Amino acid sequence: METFEVIQPGPLTTIQDLGRYGYQQYGIPPSGALDDYAFRAGNLLVSNEESAASLEITLFGCQLRVLQDTAVAVTGADLTATLNGSPIPRWETVPVHRREMLSFPRLKSGCRAYLAIAGGINVPRVMGSRATYTKARIGGLEGRALRKGDILRTAAARPLTRRARISAAHLPAYGSRIELRVILGPQDDCFTEGGIHTFLQSDYTVSIQADRMGYRLEGTPIPHRRKADIISDGLPLGAVQVPGDGLPIVLLADRQTTGGYTKIATVISVDIPELAQTKPGDQVRFRRISENEAVTALQEYERKIQTAKNSSA
Amino acid sequence: MIYDEPRFLTGGDRAIFVEFGGTIDPQINRRVRNLALVLQKEVVPGVIETVPTYRSLLVYFEPRQINAQQLRETLYRLAQSPEEGELRKPRLIEVPTVYGGEYGPDLEFVATHNSLSIPEVVRRHADTPYLIYMIGFIPGFPYLGGMSSKIAAPRLTTPRVKIPAGSVGIADRQTGIYPAESPGGWQLIGRTPLKLFAPTQEPPALFQAGDYLHFTSITPEEFTRVREAVTQGAYSLKETTME
């Protein structure tokens, strides 16, 4: 069923799900929503499977015409969404009707908004996933970002019996200064003690080179013991790569699957959404935690999503 | 150098590296690929996927199903597994390649740089079987080992903006094939009509880590013919099993 027509795509609007797994051994990154929390919350609000394909809308300017009565939820960044010019709430089920115009005119906070649509966006799965990886033209709509005139189709949805919202206690705040928790390694031994200290004590600024592949940061360089290069190995989500210039790069969903620079630490998975909502100029600090603390943080995160669901019923 | 015991390195809360040695070495790489194969057969609940590289295996896991300590113990045990049958007999795959001309604009430079004739460079490049240590970086890109240092050449000082898919290049002591059109700084010596990456095929990459590649020199006419066959899905890889 044809549900939306793209009137204006905005700078980067892509179809994403929770990612493509099993193909990194062939050089294909997982892709998927950068902000896992906002993405899953959106699907909960329209009674979809949590991995149903949704739109990831970067910055502002996206405009969609409703072709079919349905229900949506806008989560993530505050792009001052409006329906026929009137503001609509985020983190809440919103019924939309044929001929209405859904717009995301202005960025107020965060960087990426998600539009979950009842039933989920229906595009063919490529290697088991609907996530768009534009670099290799895989997934989504012809492997590319949305364009003016594109039609979004959705699968038939269960009728929504009631509107739901994510409770206030479960709403993230997107600040311009964030702290990311890291586990040191795999190559922390390639850095001097002073280098590790610099990494953990400095404020870094998100540079203009920040996209779905990774975020390059600017600030105090982190000195290596000897070389910045290693024999290429795998690159986990959140890996903090430090090339020869000493400036960290945090790798995200569309990262290259392998790389040859030293990795000082890895940002824990539950802190990735916060980074994904920062934009150039925002400040980042790293805090070291243990493996066990990371497990506790993940349990808390999952419990939060679980109870967000309950409170939305 | 192979470590006496595999080293476990942390990759955050959802990934563990199992590192078998400190150098680029076919023996070390075999251990890596063997563990990847073992994990394909002996399914460990909570393991999501693995990425074999030169000397380590990156194992992604779901911490809600298996904790890191349990996983390290399991991986330590599985790393001792005897070699899988598939590992012992790698494939040797022919990569038809047009050398020089518009297909390999830097062939002459590589020859001059090494004080060799052009046919001599081609002979040295096409004569050797290359081990695919890993696939990575971008979809379908094979990291090859075994190129003669006599045909080594530095990267371009200014990378090209666009390199055609299938280009065969040299960068320092490495040789490789670009799976898709992309920017790049390698010296281009030829081009193959093979398609290294096809997202709708299973597996999507033409080659796999552990295979050996063997370049053979073809004419532009043969290139057109093979390209045609590849496009129509009528080309079958020329491969033999190595003993």
Side-chain angles (χ1 to χ4, degrees):
Chain A
M1 141 177 113
E2 298 188 347
T3 310
F4 282 98
E5 180 189 347
V6 178
I7 303 300
Q8 289 297 337
L12 180 68
T13 301
T14 56
I15 296 170
Q16 298 295 344
D17 61 13
L18 287 179
R20 180 174 285 115
Y21 294 93
Y23 295 91
Q24 289 194 69
Q25 58 180 312
Y26 304 116
I28 299 150
S31 304
L34 285 194
D35 182 340
D36 168 269
Y37 188 83
F39 181 90
R40 288 164 69 188
N43 276 328
L44 287 176
L45 291 169
V46 293
S47 301
N48 286 347
E49 298 272 317
E50 67 171 17
S51 61
S54 307
L55 288 187
E56 182 176 273
I57 302 168
T58 318
L59 301 172
F60 49 86
C62 178
Q63 212 173 16
L64 307 165
R65 178 183 285 131
V66 184
L67 302 178
Q68 199 69 246
D69 293 5
T70 187
V72 301
V74 176
T75 59
D78 188 353
L79 308 186
T80 55
T82 60
L83 191 63
N84 275 356
S86 306
I88 54 165
R90 287 184 303 148
W91 307 95
E92 190 172 325
T93 323
V94 176
V96 295
H97 304 95
R98 202 166 119 82
R99 293 202 190 87
E100 285 175 338
M101 190 74 86
L102 182 58
S103 308
F104 300 85
R106 200 164 52 81
L107 175 75
K108 215 166 146 190
S109 70
C111 183
R112 289 155 229 279
Y114 293 86
L115 178 71
I117 309 167
I121 300 170
N122 197 7
V123 289
R125 288 177 202 266
V126 180
M127 290 173 260
S129 161
R130 297 188 168 99
T132 312
Y133 174 48
T134 55
K135 230 179 147 208
R137 301 190 190 105
I138 296 171
L141 211 57
E142 298 167 358
R144 57 171 173 78
L146 295 192
R147 287 204 290 243
K148 193 175 173 152
D150 282 342
I151 301 290
L152 300 179
R153 292 180 170 76
T154 49
R158 277 174 284 170
L160 286 175
T161 47
R162 53 183 140 185
R163 296 168 69 153
R165 70 162 63 95
I166 303 291
S167 65
H170 294 80
L171 298 181
Y174 302 131
S176 54
R177 297 181 80 88
I178 63 163
E179 183 185 79
L180 299 173
R181 291 166 289 180
V182 298
I183 300 177
L184 286 187
Q187 281 101 27
D188 49 319
D189 57 350
C190 291
F191 297 86
T192 61
E193 226 170 273
I196 305 260
H197 184 83
T198 300
F199 170 63
L200 294 171
Q201 300 300 324
S202 309
D203 285 321
Y204 288 95
T205 307
V206 176
S207 79
I208 195 92
Q209 287 166 295
D211 58 20
R212 290 187 39 86
M213 272 181 77
Y215 270 45
R216 254 174 213 275
L217 306 178
E218 283 161 355
T220 317
I222 303 160
H224 295 83
R225 256 183 224 286
R226 282 182 295 150
K227 294 192 306 179
D229 297 354
I230 53 163
I231 298 172
S232 288
D233 65 4
L235 285 181
L237 175 68
V240 185
Q241 236 184 11
V242 184
D245 63 10
L247 297 177
I249 305 167
V250 186
L251 292 152
L252 298 175
D254 283 359
R255 65 194 178 277
Q256 57 274 37
T257 56
T258 61
Y261 294 123
T262 44
K263 297 174 282 297
I264 191 168
T266 314
V267 176
I268 64 170
S269 54
V270 301
D271 282 0
I272 298 290
E274 218 176 333
L275 176 63
Q277 293 296 356
T278 62
K279 44 192 177 298
D282 289 346
Q283 303 282 307
V284 175
R285 222 170 214 279
F286 296 98
R287 182 163 65 88
R288 176 189 186 172
I289 63 165
S290 70
E291 204 170 67
N292 285 337
E293 287 168 316
V295 170
T296 309
L298 177 63
Q299 283 163 349
E300 274 166 20
Y301 178 87
E302 290 298 331
R303 200 177 310 125
K304 206 169 142 192
I305 290 193
Q306 214 56 41
T307 51
K309 196 195 301 195
N310 295 341
S311 67
S312 75
Chain B
M1 159 258 320
I2 298 193
Y3 303 147
D4 294 334
E5 298 277 357
R7 278 180 70 197
F8 291 92
L9 307 175
T10 157
D13 59 333
R14 290 171 178 271
I16 285 175
F17 293 84
V18 189
E19 195 175 86
F20 289 94
T23 47
I24 297 179
D25 174 317
Q27 283 304 110
I28 295 170
N29 190 246
R30 281 171 80 92
R31 301 277 310 268
V32 173
R33 286 182 285 111
N34 191 57
L35 182 57
L37 269 181
V38 170
L39 281 168
Q40 258 170 38
K41 297 195 166 160
E42 195 158 329
V43 175
V44 177
V47 169
I48 291 168
E49 65 177 316
T50 67
V51 187
T53 60
Y54 283 112
R55 59 183 179 128
S56 68
L57 186 71
L58 178 56
V59 180
Y60 285 90
F61 67 101
E62 173 48 64
R64 282 170 288 166
Q65 287 181 50
I66 189 166
N67 75 43
Q69 190 47 36
Q70 284 169 331
L71 181 59
R72 276 190 290 264
E73 282 161 18
T74 307
L75 292 172
Y76 180 82
R77 181 170 54 79
L78 294 177
Q80 323 298 324
S81 308
E83 275 198 9
E84 290 289 333
E86 288 107 286
L87 256 192
R88 262 177 255 133
K89 289 185 182 145
R91 301 187 295 172
L92 176 64
I93 302 167
E94 200 176 296
V95 183
T97 301
V98 185
Y99 284 96
E102 56 172 298
Y103 298 86
D106 304 321
L107 180 61
E108 206 173 326
F109 172 83
V110 174
T112 318
H113 182 78
N114 290 290
S115 314
L116 293 171
S117 68
I118 285 176
E120 188 66 8
V121 173
V122 174
R123 193 185 65 71
R124 284 183 188 275
H125 188 262
D127 238 12
T128 333
Y130 298 100
L131 170 62
I132 302 178
Y133 277 100
M134 57 195 258
I135 307 278
F137 171 51
I138 54 171
F141 183 89
Y143 283 79
L144 302 176
M147 194 185 79
S148 160
S149 59
K150 297 208 167 65
I151 55 171
R155 284 178 169 80
L156 298 179
T157 39
T158 310
R160 287 187 173 89
V161 180
K162 224 186 218 183
I163 287 176
S167 291
V168 176
I170 288 177
D172 302 319
R173 290 186 54 181
Q174 287 186 85
T175 183
I177 312 169
Y178 283 87
E181 185 182 280
S182 61
W186 291 35
Q187 305 279 355
L188 305 183
I189 60 165
R191 199 190 310 165
T192 175
L194 299 187
K195 224 177 151 183
L196 272 61
F197 172 66
T200 53
Q201 275 163 31
E202 187 61 43
L206 188 60
F207 309 131
Q208 292 192 35
D211 289 336
Y212 282 82
L213 298 185
H214 179 237
F215 294 90
T216 52
S217 176
I218 60 167
T219 64
E221 292 72 36
E222 285 171 299
F223 181 96
T224 311
R225 223 167 29 240
V226 174
R227 166 51 53 89
E228 195 94 320
V230 166
T231 311
Q232 290 169 1
Y235 181 82
S236 43
L237 273 188
K238 293 199 176 96
E239 57 174 80
T240 48
T241 306
M242 294 170 81
E243 291 302 324

